[in-house]
Amino acid sequence: MSMIDKAYVDRQFPSLNGDTVFLDNAGGSQVAVPVVDRVSQYLLGQNVQLGASYGASQRAGGAVAEGRAALALLMNASRPEEVVMGATATQLFDQLARSLVQKWQPGDEVIVTSFDHEANIAPWRRLEAQGIVIREWHMPEGADVPSINDLQNLMTERTRLVAVTHVSNVFGSIMPIREIADAVHDAGAMICVDGVAYAPHRAVDVQALDADFYGFSVYKVYGPHHAALYGRYDLLRDHASNINHYFYGEDKVPNKLEPGNPNYELAYGCVGVIDYLEGFAQAHGAAKTGREAIEAAFAIFSDHEEVLSRRLLDYLQTRNDVTIIGTRSADKADRVPTISFIVDGQSSDALVRQIDPSGIGIRFGDFHSKRLVNSLGLNSGDGVIRVSAVHYNTVAEIDRLIEQLEILRRQES
């Protein structure tokens, strides 16, 4: 039985009351009403440039600062200045790479994986043009989490950074980030974590993870089309070089990593994500605010999502013509409800398009994890079928998808 009050959630996400079943949430979630309210408040109240002495500009600056503080709270950063804001996680990882490399030397090394979203691979690989040596960490055959021993064997005294994902956006499996971070720090290197596929499902705690850098897309966490990159303050100050205008000092953190300034109204919209999580926690019996509310809300999310994962995985495992790509476990400690599979003898593209008329939104492809999909021998062009749920999805919606899959199976036979 779900612990989630569906009527409450539906009020927070009006789009859920339409004709579409949203099961493509790993590509972007629906936006909560409090987020829209905050964006509207900014645009209709004080939509002016920051930094002036008059009142509206001061209020606008305060609103953007509130947004940065909200993102710091969402990630449990130690201070708002540890949050760099931008349009997408891809953009922010690229800005970080361009900043860090300025203090590295030719022959220094970065370790990337062959199993992540390209956002946290390509920016580092491009540094080869500046003499940085790129080493590749591979997933063991048949596994869905990497070997830390393999990573330790790759690291040398010249390793400067390891880039890795928190959750595979194809496998759905949760990586042991704290263990990886400990190994990276033991080798004297830094770790940069792509949390895009994790942040919609669990409370991010960059301090507990001991992450040096951690990025995610707010538009996948019920917020506006915005992104955030956490960086430990001393690292942003001392190891990251200015990529903004030349007159931004090296101590101007985090602005030296935000060329052109972040989007003001979307920054303020991030306060609405906290509004939603606090309201959700309180509506579900946890009369809490701030970080406690965030953790309480995500604890309820994860329990519910485990039920959704189990429902779909149990069905898929009854079919001898289906191959699940990633872990078969529904345990919330092992995975999030991002589930990929292929059907023997059927095109992923064709199958998804046959489901489209039912109003159920799922997806096919490599999801910008092309290296992983290719390594699995699924590089025919249409990749895998991916179903990605979040807490506002229901068992009934998963059952609707299962019914459609069964209809297509009968048609094929």
Side-chain angles (χ1 to χ4, degrees):
M1 186 71 177
S2 173
M3 296 174 59
I4 289 183
D5 181 343
K6 185 178 186 304
Y8 175 83
V9 172
D10 285 353
R11 289 194 298 273
Q12 305 308 307
F13 295 95
S15 58
L16 301 183
N17 299 303
D19 297 329
T20 302
V21 174
F22 296 100
L23 286 171
D24 181 29
N25 297 286
S29 69
Q30 298 306 292
V31 180
V33 166
V35 173
V36 179
D37 290 344
R38 293 284 186 170
V39 172
S40 178
Q41 287 167 21
Y42 186 92
L43 288 173
L44 300 178
Q46 62 269 334
N47 185 29
V48 298
Q49 184 55 275
L50 277 55
S53 57
Y54 61 92
S57 180
Q58 293 293 302
R59 290 191 295 275
V64 174
E66 279 189 65
R68 196 183 301 277
L71 292 168
L73 183 65
L74 192 58
M75 292 189 281
N76 200 31
S78 62
R79 55 195 292 185
E81 294 84 359
E82 293 183 320
V83 176
V84 182
M85 295 188 289
T88 66
T90 299
Q91 178 196 78
L92 290 173
F93 289 134
D94 185 67
Q95 289 171 198
L96 178 64
R98 289 192 289 114
S99 173
L100 291 177
V101 74
Q102 295 181 46
K103 295 191 178 180
W104 292 345
Q105 301 298 319
D108 285 345
E109 300 170 357
V110 170
I111 295 175
V112 299
T113 78
S114 61
F115 49 83
D116 290 354
H117 188 289
E118 195 68 12
N120 202 24
I121 297 175
W124 308 106
R125 282 193 166 276
R126 283 194 284 268
L127 300 183
E128 282 188 296
Q130 298 179 58
I132 302 303
V133 175
I134 303 300
R135 296 180 178 272
E136 193 171 63
W137 185 16
H138 297 281
M139 186 75 72
E141 186 174 353
D144 53 71
V145 293
S147 163
I148 295 176
N149 286 338
D150 289 349
L151 172 63
Q152 290 170 323
N153 290 335
L154 282 173
M155 290 189 289
T156 75
E157 61 184 14
R158 297 296 298 272
T159 303
R160 296 291 169 259
L161 181 138
V162 175
V164 66
T165 193
H166 200 161
V167 161
S168 167
N169 74 331
V170 173
F171 288 157
S173 47
I174 301 172
M175 308 300 171
I177 292 298
R178 180 55 196 252
E179 293 176 51
I180 295 170
D182 289 344
V184 170
H185 292 148
D186 286 346
M190 298 180 290
I191 182 170
C192 178
V193 183
D194 176 353
V196 170
Y198 181 88
H201 307 286
R202 306 286 188 274
V204 175
D205 188 337
V206 292
Q207 295 187 67
L209 293 170
D210 202 16
D212 298 307
F213 305 102
Y214 192 104
F216 75 99
S217 300
V218 187
Y219 64 90
K220 299 184 182 184
V221 193
Y222 323 112
H225 205 286
H226 199 60
L229 173 71
Y230 160 82
R232 231 176 60 207
Y233 185 79
D234 61 318
L235 297 179
L236 293 180
R237 183 191 61 211
D238 301 331
H239 289 257
S241 294
N242 175 35
I243 58 170
N244 208 330
H245 299 306
Y246 77 91
F247 44 80
Y248 277 66
E250 290 297 319
D251 61 345
K252 196 169 179 62
V253 175
N255 312 93
K256 68 180 186 180
L257 283 160
E258 294 176 337
N261 294 323
N263 182 296
Y264 299 152
E265 64 268 22
L266 300 187
Y268 187 55
C270 294
V271 180
V273 177
I274 304 300
D275 294 339
Y276 169 64
L277 294 172
E278 288 182 338
F280 179 94
Q282 292 160 13
H284 289 77
K288 299 174 180 177
T289 59
R291 187 67 195 176
E292 282 189 314
I294 292 168
E295 293 176 356
F298 276 103
I300 297 170
F301 292 179
S302 63
D303 286 343
H304 175 72
E305 290 173 354
E306 183 178 71
V307 174
L308 301 180
S309 293
R310 181 167 290 111
R311 189 66 150 234
L312 181 56
L313 287 166
D314 282 352
Y315 164 73
L316 293 175
Q317 290 180 78
T318 67
R319 293 185 52 167
N320 57 16
D321 62 338
V322 166
T323 301
I324 297 168
I325 308 300
T327 178
R328 292 170 171 253
S329 170
D331 193 317
K332 64 184 180 181
D334 298 329
R335 68 140 60 245
V336 301
T338 298
I339 298 169
S340 300
F341 61 97
I342 56 173
V343 179
D344 293 349
Q346 291 196 46
S347 157
S348 298
D349 178 339
L351 190 146
V352 168
R353 291 184 190 278
Q354 287 176 286
I355 287 176
D356 286 343
S358 71
I360 299 172
I362 60 175
R363 203 176 191 96
F364 67 92
D366 59 43
F367 309 104
H368 290 184
S369 290
K370 185 175 288 289
R371 298 174 199 273
L372 172 59
V373 170
N374 287 352
S375 74
L376 297 171
L378 302 172
N379 54 350
S380 61
D382 59 4
V384 302
I385 300 161
R386 188 179 73 179
V387 178
S388 50
V390 291
H391 72 281
Y392 54 60
N393 293 120
T394 65
V395 171
E397 290 174 339
I398 298 297
D399 286 345
R400 275 186 61 183
L401 172 62
I402 290 171
E403 180 183 8
Q404 290 300 310
L405 291 169
E406 276 295 288
I407 290 171
L408 295 179
R409 176 163 70 162
R410 289 195 294 270
Q411 290 175 350
E412 284 295 316
S413 61

